[in-house]
Amino acid sequence: MTRTEDALKTAIDALEEKKGEQIKVIDISKISVMADYFVIASGKNLNQIKAMADEVEEKLSKEGIEPRQIEGANSSGWILMDYRDFIIHIFNEDMRLYYDIERIWSDGIPVDINK
């Protein structure tokens, strides 16, 4: 596994640990220069969304991986965590439906996270 794949696994495990729902990974490396992967997950409420983001940040930090930027942590219903090679989007259910990133980035390749 590459360092990016290891970090993705750590992030996904952290999201699952905090009961993240509908976790998806999309490989966008062939269609965008901003990152190689998008990770998309949902939480039921603002507290859960923040807990998910905090858990990801803590677990990746223990591996020496720090975010370039984190946005939306206040009360937006969407937290974006930019880790250079991958970007994590954590939404509440309404915001995820509204922005529909999976549809917008449908040219990307879905990644099976259950491998």
Side-chain angles (χ1 to χ4, degrees):
M1 247 194 240
T2 67
R3 180 168 166 83
T4 298
E5 290 169 339
D6 287 340
L8 274 172
K9 179 162 179 15
T10 298
I12 291 163
D13 289 347
L15 292 168
E16 289 175 341
E17 189 173 311
K18 293 299 179 183
K19 309 294 185 215
E21 298 178 348
Q22 299 177 15
I23 301 169
K24 307 264 179 168
V25 178
I26 302 171
D27 180 339
I28 61 167
S29 63
K30 306 248 187 308
I31 58 173
S32 177
V33 296
M34 79 172 78
D36 291 335
Y37 300 95
F38 274 167
V39 178
I40 306 163
S42 297
K44 293 200 178 291
N45 56 55
L46 186 58
N47 289 336
Q48 182 185 12
I49 292 168
K50 286 183 178 181
M52 291 164 64
D54 289 346
E55 189 72 12
V56 168
E57 188 173 11
E58 180 182 326
K59 298 281 175 142
L60 289 175
S61 183
K62 286 181 181 176
E63 294 185 7
I65 303 168
E66 300 299 330
R68 177 186 318 177
Q69 188 171 0
I70 297 177
E71 295 183 18
N74 292 332
S75 61
S76 66
W78 178 5
I79 298 176
L80 182 144
M81 306 176 80
D82 182 348
Y83 281 95
R84 291 168 188 80
D85 294 333
F86 58 95
I87 298 172
I88 301 172
H89 301 270
I90 306 173
F91 291 100
N92 68 27
E93 294 167 346
D94 291 338
M95 294 294 269
R96 184 167 181 169
L97 287 172
Y98 180 78
Y99 285 102
D100 199 6
I101 287 180
E102 291 98 329
R103 183 189 56 77
I104 293 169
W105 290 91
S106 63
D107 289 344
I109 301 166
V111 175
D112 182 4
I113 62 173
N114 297 315
K115 286 187 194 180

